[in-house]
Amino acid sequence: MPSTSERSFGQRYTKARDLIEYLKSIPTYAPGNPDLEIAEFDTFVSSLDTANNSVASLTSSLQTERDERLVMYKGPQGLIKRASQIRDYISAVETKGKNSVEFKKVQKIVMRMRGIRLSKKKLPAEAGANAPKSISTSEVSFGSMLGAGKEVLQVISGLASYAPSNTLITLANFTTFITQLDAKNSDVAELLSDWDNAVELRYDLYKTLKDRVTKIKSALAGQYGRQSNEYKDALQY
């Protein structure tokens, strides 16, 4: 279901389309400004539809990537689960068991992982064009989690006795998994940047729309007068 913000953009687009049809019903409409001519305004309004579709597509793609990433970190075969299994394996094969240096290192890392809050954070409804871009707390958290995973990898890379039968936590497969997590974080960051740019572009287009609609009404007032039906009927758009 579209968000309230998306419905609002859709409604403004529809009103702009309705305004075009209204202007077409006034055969003598002559605004004197090329940007306000029916054909030019029609082309501009079409760019709004393109912008809406772009934001919708990127929103869907970004949410899918984020959902997939969350499973990779918190799912039944995710990073936290694998790190916990690595810890338990170390306690079983190391002579000192839970008192071994390696066990204690991984145990601390696992505890730190569990304290990092990861969530399927919803995208903001709209980004302000003048708002400075920054890395969200959510993205920082995933970066911290990946860093913790790399620390676990470093521990087992230096452990001569590390040879688990669980294929999910072998050195080779865990190394590959960490690489996949790193790539997924990069994919999300790239999509987030694309989404942010698309939202800012749309924000600017709709600011321009508001300005052009206001000028079209002024053009009608100037051509036909504020008491004319041509002007009064245009006020609903």
Side-chain angles (χ1 to χ4, degrees), residues 4-49:
T4 301
S5 175
E6 289 306 311
R7 287 197 297 271
S8 174
F9 282 112
Q11 289 165 356
R12 280 181 275 174
Y13 167 76
T14 299
K15 272 197 169 186
R17 277 282 165 219
D18 290 343
L19 176 57
I20 291 170
E21 295 306 310
Y22 172 68
L23 294 176
K24 288 179 180 179
S25 72
I26 308 175
T28 55
Y29 171 67
N33 180 338
D35 288 341
L36 310 183
E37 295 286 351
I38 295 175
E40 179 60 30
F41 186 60
D42 193 346
T43 299
F44 171 73
V45 171
S46 293
S47 72
L48 299 178
D49 191 35

Side-chain angles (χ1 to χ4, degrees), residues 129-178:
N130 298 319
K133 295 182 180 180
S134 62
I135 301 174
S136 70
T137 302
S138 174
E139 293 308 307
V140 171
S141 296
F142 280 101
S144 298
M145 186 70 82
L146 175 62
K150 290 180 178 179
E151 289 179 39
V152 173
L153 179 59
Q154 186 175 20
V155 171
I156 64 176
S157 294
L159 194 59
S161 62
Y162 191 78
S165 59
N166 182 348
T167 57
L168 290 176
I169 60 172
T170 63
L171 179 57
N173 288 343
F174 191 68
T175 299
T176 299
F177 182 62
I178 291 297

Side-chain angles (χ1 to χ4, degrees), residues 45-155:
V45 171
S46 293
S47 72
L48 299 178
D49 191 35
T50 300
N52 285 344
N53 290 334
S54 178
V55 170
S57 177
L58 286 167
T59 298
S60 177
S61 296
L62 180 54
Q63 202 61 60
T64 296
E65 286 289 328
R66 281 180 159 180
D67 290 346
E68 291 175 355
R69 180 176 65 173
L70 188 62
V71 172
M72 291 176 72
Y73 280 93
K74 295 183 69 176
Q77 295 185 353
L79 177 61
I80 298 175
K81 180 68 173 180
R82 295 191 194 203
S84 298
Q85 291 176 316
I86 288 172
R87 173 203 61 196
D88 293 339
Y89 174 77
I90 291 173
S91 72
V93 298
E94 283 295 287
T95 303
K96 293 184 178 181
K98 293 183 178 181
N99 290 319
S100 67
V101 173
E102 292 76 10
F103 174 87
K104 290 180 179 180
K105 283 182 179 179
V106 178
Q107 170 69 339
K108 286 181 179 179
I109 296 169
V110 170
M111 290 177 66
R112 194 165 80 243
M113 284 180 173
R114 289 177 175 166
I116 298 173
R117 185 178 180 182
L118 302 179
S119 62
K120 292 190 294 185
K121 186 177 180 181
K122 291 185 177 181
L123 293 168
E126 181 175 348
N130 298 319
K133 295 182 180 180
S134 62
I135 301 174
S136 70
T137 302
S138 174
E139 293 308 307
V140 171
S141 296
F142 280 101
S144 298
M145 186 70 82
L146 175 62
K150 290 180 178 179
E151 289 179 39
V152 173
L153 179 59
Q154 186 175 20
V155 171

